[in-house]
Amino acid sequence: MATETETPIRGMGHSVKRKEDARFIRGRGRYVDDIKLPGMLFLDIVRSPYAHATIKNIDASAALAQPGVLAVITGKDLDAAGLAWMPTLMGDKQMVLPVDRVVYQAQEVAAVVATDRYAAADGVALVNVEYEPLPPVTDPIKALEADAPLVRPDREQKTNHIWHWEAGDAARTDELFNQAEVVVKEDLYIPRIHVCSIETCGCVASFDAVEGKLTVYMTTQAPHAIRTVFSLVTSIPEHKIHIISPDIGGGFGGKVPVYPGYVIACVASIKTGHPVKWIEDRSENLQADSFARDYHITAELAAKRDGTMQALRVKTIADHGAFDAAANPSKFPAGLFSVITGSYELDAAHVEVDGVYTNKPSGGVAYRCSFRVTEAVHTIERMVDVLAQKLSMDPAELRLKNFIPPEKFPYKSPTGWEYDSGNYPAALRKAMEEIGYEQLRREQAEKRARGELMGIGLSTFTEIVGAGPSHTFDILGIKMFDSAEIRVHPTGSAIVRIGVQTQGQGHETTFAQIVAEELGLPVENITVEHGDTDTAPYGLGTYASRSTPTAGAATAVAARKIREKAKNIAAHLLEVSPDDLEWENYQFRVKGTPGKAVTMQQIAFAAYTNHPQGMEAGLEAVDYYDPPNLTFPFGAYVCVVDIDRGTGEVKIRRFLAIDDCGNIINPMIVDGQIHGGLTMGMAPALLEEITYDENGNIQQGNFMDYLLPTAMETPAWETDKTVTPSPHHPFGAKGVGESATVGAPPAIANAVVDALSHLGVTHIDIPITPWKVYKILEEHGVAES
Amino acid sequence: MTTQTTQTTQTTHKVTLTINGQPYTAEVEPRLLLVHFIREVAGLTGTHIGCDTTSCGACTVLVNGVPAKSCTLLAVQVDGAEIRTVEGLEQDGKLHPVQDGFVQEHGLQCGFCTPGMMLTAVALLERNPQPTEDEIRRAISGNLCRCTGYVNIVKSIQYAAKQMREAQATPAPAPVGAEV
C-alpha cells in the first residue's frame, strides 16, 4: 500500500463497503416510481383476458366520462402514427397496442391516461372491449403441427416456426454415436420462469414540445441502446432523446427488452403535453413481461465403457411466445447455448435449436444468465450424471476423467468457442475436500441401508460471459463494446462515467476501486456515474455478466491512458526523462532513487497548474473497449440433500460453491453476487415455474402462486474460490454475477436424483417440487404415509 | 403536498397520521392505501411497492410499533396511528444499528427491499434482542429479497443485535439506536 498517502487507496482485492448503501439504507434511493414531475399524469393499461382473440370493438366512452380520465389510447390511434408495432431486439416486430387481435393473455389492449393512479385504474375498468376468442396454442411442440392455430398471421411465413439454428459438426457427431460403446439419452424440460425483480418495470416520460426533447426515466438495463431504438422508431433525433436509468430495483435480464408500456407512456406525454408515469403492478409484470427458459431438450451423450466422453447431440424446441423479443446478440438466436459441451473434452458435438411461436408472452430473456447458458449447463451437467449412473461410476470420478486439462487452455471447443483459462480439477478437488465428499458418500451408504434418502449432487460448470468481441457480437447492428470516461480533477479526486449501468451490482464502488488501483487515488475520492445517456459514454448496458469484462476493462484502459500522460508530467516535475521513471507503490519514482517520487495527486494538480510546454492541460481519458474474447468463469458446486419420505420435500442440508471468476475487485461484493445467484439457481430447481392451461390462462400470475424463495427455504450458502485469471482481460477478471444461477440448478437436481438413483430414477425435471418427489416415492413403494 | 387522489370521487375523509414523529393530515379517499399516503401525501418514498398480494414486504412499515404491509392497509383504517418508516431510523445523524449492520455485512444490493427488511428487523430486535438464526429467518420470511440470498441479511441483523446488546450493557455513553 502507498505508505506516503494519508488516505488508503483500497483498490483491487479490498472488501470496500459500498458507496451506494448510504442512500439506500436511509430510504433515499431514487427509483423510477419515486420520480415526480410537475403536472405529471398516470397511465394504466387495459389487458386481454384471452390468450388469443380478435378485437371486435373498443368502447372508451364510459372511461372518458370518468372524472380524472383525460385520454384513452388504442392500437388504432398508434397505427395512425405508424407506432402500433415496434421492432424487437431480435429483428422481429412486436405489437405496442393491437389493432384487431391479441396473441397472449394480459397483452396490452388500450391505455388510460388520468390525473392519478386511482383514476387511471377506474378508467381501465370502464374500457369496454369486445373480443371474439380464437383457439390458442401454448405448447410449442403442438404449435409445430400442421393444423395448429397460427400465432402470427402478419408474417409471410404461415407457420409457427421462427428459425432453425445449429452449431458443431453433425457428421462427425453422428459417426461417433454410431460407433459408441455407451449412449445415454434424456428428455429435459427447462421450465418457463420469470425474473421478478422486486421493483417492477415502469417509466416517467416527459416530452418538452418547445425543445422537442423527450426525457424518459426508465427501468432499463441498457439506456443507450434504448435511446438509439427510440430514435429509429419515433424519428426524434437521437440528441433530443434523454434516457435516464435511475436506481433500479433489480434487473436480472427482465429490464433489457422494450415493453409496450414504455412506448405508450412516451406517446401519451407527446399527446397530452404532460409528463406521464407508468408503473406496472406485480401481476402485470409477472403475466406480461418477457419470460426466461422454456426449452424442450433431447440430449444424448456418447462414451466409451471406461467413461471417456466422446460426443454430445442435442435437439431443442425453444418456446419464444408470440413475439421473438429475446435479448440475444443478433447472430445468436439461441444465445450462447452452444457452450453446452461445458467443462469436458469431447471429440465432437452437434446442437440444434428451433424457435417457435406460441400464444404466450415473449420468452427468451435471461434470468440472471448470459444468453441461454443456464439451459446449456443444466443439460451437460445432468447428462454427465446420467452417464455416471449408467456406468456405475462416481460422478466426481467421471468428471475428473473428462475435464479439459489445465494445460490445454486456451481451449477450442467442438462448437467453436475458445475458452480463455480454467483449472477444473483444482476447483472440484477443493470442493470435495472442503465438504468431505468421501465421508458424505459413506454416510449416504449407511443411510440408504436404513431406508433414508440422502443425495449428493455435483455441478462443475463453465460459463461464457462478457459479450463481446465486436466481430461476432452486436445487438441490432450496434457492436457490443463498452466504455468508460475518467476525469481527474486538479485536487486529485476523479469522476468516472461508464457505459454500463448498475441494478445492485455495486458499480459505484467496484469501478471506483479499478480507478483507485490504476491511478493510486483513494477510492473514496472517486465518483462513479452511470445510466444517464446525456452524460455517460455510449455503452450496451449491464446484463450477461458483461460489466466487468467490458466496461471494467475500458475503465482500466482509460486509467492507463491517464497514467501514460501522468508519467510525462511526473518527468517534468522531477526533471528527469520519462524512461527514468517507474510506477511503484502507487506513485512515479525515479529508478534507483525511491525517495524521488510524485503521487498522482501531485501530478493532477500540475496537469492544471504546471503542465509541460507543448502538452495539453488536463488529465482525462476515454476508452471504448472491444474485448478480444469472452471470459469463461467456472466453478465446482456440491449440494447435499435429505428427502422427507412422508412429504417428498427436498431439504438442502449443505451447499458449497467454489467459484473462479479470475482476479477479484471486491471479495465482499463477489460473495454477495454468488449468494444471490445461488438463490436464483435454487428457485427454478425447487420452486418456480410458469405454466398455462389449455385456454392459455397463466397458472402462476401473482406472488401467491409464483413462489420466490424466502429466507426459510434458502440455505446458509457456503462459498470459497480458486483464482485463474483471464489472460486477455486488462486486470485478469471474469464476470461473476450469474455464475451461481447457472451452476446451482444441476447440483440440486443431481443431488435429488442421486438420492433416488438406487430406485432406478435417472432424471427429474425441475422444479423438483414435493409433490413430484412424493409421486416418485409412491411409485417405488418407499413413500411413508 | 396535498393528495391528487381527492380529484376523482366525492367522498373523502380527514386522516391524521404521525409518521416518524411528524403529523400529516390530509383529506383522502377511503380507498387510499397507507403506502400511497406515505409515498404521495407525506412524500416519503423510502417505502416501496413490490407486489399486489401482500407477499413481498417491500412496503413494510411499523404501525404503532408492529410491522405491517402498508399496501394492504387503508389510510383511513390507521387514522391516528404512529407510523415508522425507513426515514425515521436514523436519529440525530446517527444510524440505527440495523442500518449500520446492513452496510457492514453487505445486506443489500439493489436496495429496493431494504427499507421493509430493515423495519422488520428493527421490530424483531425490539421484542427479541438475541434472536437465533432460525428466529431471524422466520421473522424476515415475509420480506422477499431477489438479490442477496438472505445470508448477509441474517448477518446484518446479527450484527445489529450485537451492537444493541453491547450498547444496552454499557451505561454510558448513551445507548446507540436505543430510541423507540
Side-chain angles (χ1 to χ4, degrees):
Chain A
M1 295 299 299
T3 47
E4 294 80 0
T5 351
E6 282 176 18
T7 319
I9 304 296
R10 295 193 299 161
M12 287 282 294
H14 290 261
S15 286
V16 176
K17 306 296 179 215
R18 299 198 328 163
K19 289 161 172 273
E20 40 274 86
D21 288 356
R23 61 180 187 273
F24 292 140
I25 55 155
R26 291 175 171 87
R28 298 282 295 276
R30 195 175 186 225
Y31 301 91
V32 171
D33 200 14
D34 303 339
I35 310 277
K36 188 160 145 188
L37 300 179
M40 189 170 76
L41 305 176
F42 286 79
L43 183 140
D44 202 350
I45 291 176
V46 179
R47 292 178 184 274
S48 171
Y50 296 104
H52 199 191
T54 49
I55 298 170
K56 307 298 284 181
N57 187 43
I58 299 177
D59 178 2
S61 55
L64 287 166
Q66 174 72 9
V69 173
L70 302 174
V72 175
I73 300 170
T74 67
K76 285 190 173 146
D77 300 325
L78 294 185
D79 198 32
L83 286 173
W85 292 78
M86 63 178 175
T88 71
L89 296 178
M90 284 306 298
D92 193 4
K93 59 177 188 168
Q94 174 178 5
M95 292 180 204
V96 179
L97 285 174
V99 176
D100 55 7
R101 63 206 301 269
V102 287
V103 287
Y104 58 86
Q105 189 183 51
Q107 186 180 341
E108 298 79 357
V109 172
V112 175
V113 185
T115 49
D116 70 80
R117 65 181 89 221
Y118 287 76
D122 286 341
V124 164
L126 291 169
V127 173
N128 189 15
V129 186
E130 200 184 320
Y131 298 95
E132 190 170 290
L134 296 167
V137 59
T138 54
D139 177 339
I141 292 152
K142 285 185 183 155
L144 290 174
E145 290 169 3
D147 58 349
L150 188 62
V151 178
R152 293 286 301 278
D154 58 288
R155 291 169 81 234
E156 218 164 277
Q157 190 187 344
K158 300 299 175 199
T159 73
N160 292 320
H161 186 261
I162 316 173
W163 42 255
H164 174 81
W165 173 88
E166 58 184 80
D169 184 338
R172 177 73 184 131
T173 302
D174 288 348
E175 194 185 324
L176 286 165
F177 268 92
N178 291 338
Q179 300 162 1
E181 293 173 359
V182 185
V183 171
V184 286
K185 180 176 180 178
E186 285 291 343
D187 292 325
L188 302 93
Y189 176 57
I190 316 285
R192 174 170 276 239
I193 50 177
H194 198 283
V195 299
C196 288
S197 51
I198 302 299
E199 179 200 38
T200 61
C201 294
C203 69
V204 177
S206 179
F207 184 70
D208 180 332
V210 176
E211 299 284 340
K213 185 162 182 172
L214 177 66
T215 302
V216 192
Y217 299 85
M218 183 172 175
T219 50
T220 179
Q221 297 175 230
H224 283 99
I226 295 289
R227 185 184 72 190
T228 303
V229 172
F230 273 23
S231 179
L232 293 171
V233 172
T234 61
S235 304
I236 299 173
E238 197 166 351
H239 69 294
K240 296 283 190 185
I241 299 178
H242 184 190
I243 307 292
I244 301 162
S245 179
D247 286 325
I248 299 295
F252 313 116
K255 289 170 180 169
V256 177
V258 179
Y259 296 117
Y262 298 133
V263 179
I264 306 167
C266 293
V267 171
S269 178
I270 293 169
K271 187 174 164 147
T272 61
H274 286 265
V276 174
K277 179 183 274 188
W278 165 67
I279 302 290
E280 290 171 334
D281 292 344
R282 170 59 55 194
S283 304
E284 296 180 285
N285 169 267
L286 191 42
Q287 290 170 23
D289 289 357
S290 295
F291 288 80
R293 320 274 196 263
D294 217 345
Y295 261 31
H296 298 255
I297 298 167
T298 301
E300 296 170 278
L301 187 57
K304 291 185 188 166
R305 240 172 247 113
D306 70 357
T308 306
M309 287 161 49
Q310 293 173 294
L312 178 71
R313 193 159 57 190
V314 177
K315 289 184 195 302
T316 300
I317 302 292
D319 188 335
H320 277 239
F323 306 111
D324 193 14
N328 287 322
S330 58
K331 293 187 186 69
F332 300 89
L336 308 183
F337 188 62
S338 62
V339 75
I340 194 162
T341 55
S343 308
Y344 312 100
E345 195 176 23
L346 297 177
D347 293 335
H350 187 239
V351 195
E352 294 175 82
V353 184
D354 287 278
V356 178
Y357 288 122
T358 58
N359 289 113
K360 289 145 80 169
S362 302
V365 305
Y367 172 107
R368 201 171 183 152
C369 149
S370 175
F371 310 125
R372 302 296 194 179
V373 179
T374 314
E375 289 90 326
V377 164
H378 197 74
T379 304
I380 186 67
E381 288 302 312
R382 271 276 49 243
M383 291 310 290
V384 171
D385 264 43
V386 172
L387 179 64
Q389 198 175 339
K390 172 102 172 180
L391 297 170
S392 300
M393 273 178 84
D394 185 283
E397 188 192 336
L398 183 64
R399 282 174 167 82
L400 288 165
K401 187 180 179 66
N402 287 285
F403 278 147
I404 300 159
E407 63 275 11
K408 286 210 176 167
F409 289 86
Y411 167 81
K412 189 83 184 253
S413 88
T415 52
W417 299 109
E418 188 180 290
Y419 294 11
D420 60 346
S421 63
N423 189 340
Y424 306 146
L428 178 54
R429 289 211 173 90
K430 183 167 189 169
M432 290 169 72
E433 194 177 313
E434 278 189 26
I435 201 143
Y437 186 76
E438 299 304 328
Q439 199 181 330
L440 285 168
R441 283 288 174 208
R442 284 195 295 276
E443 182 193 342
Q444 182 188 32
E446 286 162 20
K447 286 199 161 154
R448 195 169 274 182
R450 292 200 300 267
E452 291 172 44
L453 300 173
M454 167 189 166
I456 305 153
L458 300 177
S459 167
T460 49
F461 63 94
T462 290
E463 254 220 302
I464 172 170
V465 307
S470 66
H471 54 74
T472 314
F473 289 92
D474 67 83
I475 286 181
L476 289 176
I478 306 165
K479 303 293 189 184
M480 295 184 74
F481 55 81
D482 229 290
S483 62
E485 178 196 280
I486 306 170
R487 293 182 190 170
V488 182
H489 306 317
T491 52
S493 61
I495 185 162
V496 186
R497 294 192 168 108
I498 52 179
V500 295
Q501 179 279 339
T502 180
Q503 313 116 35
Q505 295 88 341
H507 291 170
E508 291 167 37
T509 307
T510 53
F511 280 67
Q513 287 181 260
I514 297 170
V515 174
E517 180 69 29
E518 296 290 342
L519 294 184
L521 297 173
V523 73
E524 66 185 63
N525 293 350
I526 300 165
T527 295
V528 177
E529 285 188 0
H530 54 88
D532 184 322
T533 58
D534 269 8
T535 54
Y538 204 100
L540 270 288
T542 295
Y543 42 85
S545 296
R546 66 185 297 280
S547 288
T548 299
T550 61
T555 304
V557 173
R560 287 171 194 181
K561 289 177 184 172
I562 288 175
R563 210 165 67 197
E564 265 315 293
K565 180 170 181 181
K567 189 178 188 179
N568 289 314
I569 300 172
H572 167 71
L573 293 176
L574 294 165
E575 296 177 329
V576 295
S577 153
D579 295 340
D580 295 333
L581 294 175
E582 59 185 1
W583 176 253
E584 191 65 45
N585 213 8
Y586 300 118
Q587 52 183 266
F588 280 112
R589 62 188 189 192
V590 179
K591 288 176 194 164
T593 321
K596 223 178 154 191
V598 284
T599 64
M600 190 59 74
Q601 196 169 349
Q602 293 167 317
I603 295 168
F605 195 67
Y608 296 88
T609 60
N610 177 25
H611 59 286
Q613 284 291 317
M615 183 190 278
E616 272 183 23
L619 202 54
E620 60 184 72
V622 60
D623 187 71
Y624 283 76
Y625 186 82
D626 187 356
N629 188 9
L630 296 117
T631 66
F632 294 76
F634 60 93
Y637 292 178
V638 192
C639 175
V640 184
V641 299
D642 298 298
I643 296 175
D644 186 325
R645 283 172 49 198
T647 63
E649 189 190 357
V650 173
K651 177 90 184 156
I652 297 178
R653 189 204 310 175
R654 286 187 71 187
F655 194 111
L656 171 66
I658 306 291
D659 274 276
D660 193 321
C661 59
N663 289 334
I664 288 171
I665 304 169
N666 184 323
M668 176 192 83
I669 287 180
V670 166
D671 242 21
Q673 290 291 306
I674 292 166
H675 292 157
L678 290 168
T679 309
M680 283 185 85
M682 179 191 79
L686 296 179
L687 297 163
E688 295 177 14
E689 179 175 19
I690 300 281
T691 57
Y692 292 81
D693 71 10
E694 66 276 16
N695 293 318
N697 296 309
I698 188 169
Q699 305 292 284
Q700 300 82 5
N702 59 52
F703 272 178
M704 302 295 275
D705 299 319
Y706 188 70
L707 304 177
L708 269 59
T710 74
M712 292 308 288
E713 295 84 37
T714 308
W717 307 112
E718 301 167 56
T719 59
D720 204 343
K721 64 175 186 289
T722 58
V723 177
T724 312
S726 170
H728 64 76
H729 186 273
F731 52 90
K734 300 180 176 185
V736 73
E738 297 155 334
S739 286
T741 316
V742 168
I748 297 166
N750 286 345
V752 177
V753 173
D754 183 62
L756 305 170
S757 60
H758 60 293
L759 305 172
V761 175
T762 59
H763 176 70
I764 306 171
D765 275 331
I766 57 172
I768 302 173
T769 58
W771 174 242
K772 240 183 229 180
V773 175
Y774 188 79
K775 293 296 282 181
I776 292 167
L777 299 180
E778 216 174 33
E779 201 180 301
H780 292 89
V782 294
E784 275 173 4
S785 45
Chain B
M1 65 151 235
T2 56
T3 172
Q4 296 173 323
T5 58
T6 52
Q7 296 167 12
T8 51
T9 52
Q10 302 76 14
T11 341
T12 58
H13 295 262
K14 187 174 172 183
V15 169
T16 299
L17 298 176
T18 305
I19 306 178
N20 305 323
Q22 194 180 325
Y24 293 85
T25 300
E27 284 284 337
V28 304
E29 288 185 57
R31 64 180 176 173
L32 184 76
L33 297 173
L34 174 59
V35 69
H36 287 140
F37 189 102
I38 293 167
R39 288 179 54 81
E40 291 173 15
V41 178
L44 298 169
T45 56
T47 303
H48 300 143
I49 303 169
C51 76
D52 43 17
T53 48
T54 325
S55 308
C56 81
C59 64
T60 305
V61 298
L62 303 188
V63 177
N64 298 325
V66 178
K69 293 181 176 176
S70 60
C71 73
T72 314
L73 284 169
L74 300 168
V76 292
Q77 271 179 289
V78 291
D79 186 15
E82 295 267 349
I83 310 288
R84 197 160 167 211
T85 72
V86 64
E87 289 91 345
L89 290 180
E90 186 179 12
Q91 292 288 315
D92 304 324
K94 198 168 182 80
L95 291 179
H96 190 283
V98 168
Q99 290 174 301
D100 190 27
F102 272 68
V103 175
Q104 298 303 325
E105 298 292 344
H106 189 29
L108 68 151
Q109 291 181 24
C110 82
F112 200 78
C113 75
T114 310
M117 196 69 84
M118 290 194 305
L119 284 155
T120 299
V122 167
L124 167 70
L125 297 180
E126 280 173 2
R127 69 174 188 273
N128 180 359
Q130 199 160 353
T132 62
E133 174 168 349
D134 190 57
E135 285 168 339
I136 293 173
R137 286 180 175 270
R138 215 165 274 280
I140 61 171
S141 64
N143 293 75
L144 295 176
C145 171
R146 200 59 157 167
C147 296
T148 66
Y150 305 105
V151 176
N152 287 349
I153 293 179
V154 170
K155 285 187 193 164
S156 303
I157 298 169
Q158 287 169 333
Y159 177 99
K162 188 160 175 282
Q163 295 291 311
M164 288 166 77
R165 284 197 308 274
E166 284 173 6
Q168 286 280 325
T170 318
V176 176
E179 59 83 32
V180 181

